[in-house]
Amino acid sequence: MELIPHEKLKRMNAMIHGAIAFYEIEGDQILKVLRDSSKDDLVTGMETIGASLYWLRRQMEAFVREADENEKA
């Protein structure tokens, strides 16, 4: 597997955090509209997107920590 340059990892991490910030700010309103419209399949989709974003953030933070440690070594 090709190693991703440290700065690229940091940019990717920032993008993930931005997507999560949007999800946390707007997600509740979107979910409310979907629930009120009885769009259960879309509610499930939004919840899956949120769970995926949080999982991706944890993975990316681990990658960035590892890259930080390798850069210092």
Side-chain angles (χ1 to χ4, degrees):
M1 179 171 99
E2 179 183 342
L3 294 177
I4 299 174
H6 188 242
E7 288 304 312
K8 187 181 277 189
L9 275 177
K10 285 188 171 186
R11 283 193 299 273
M12 291 167 65
N13 194 37
M15 297 279 293
I16 292 165
H17 281 271
I20 289 173
F22 175 80
Y23 182 82
E24 289 177 342
I25 293 167
E26 303 297 336
D28 286 340
Q29 286 183 332
I30 293 168
L31 284 166
K32 182 183 179 337
V33 169
L34 294 174
R35 284 188 181 109
D36 291 348
S37 302
S38 299
K39 303 287 186 178
D40 295 335
D41 55 336
L42 297 179
V43 170
T44 301
M46 276 295 292
E47 290 171 344
T48 301
I49 289 169
S52 298
L53 286 170
Y54 292 123
W55 177 87
L56 187 57
R57 179 177 64 185
R58 285 190 306 274
Q59 297 301 308
M60 184 57 67
E61 287 172 349
F63 290 144
V64 170
R65 273 193 308 275
E66 184 179 340
D68 286 341
E69 290 168 7
N70 289 339
E71 192 171 81
K72 292 175 185 174

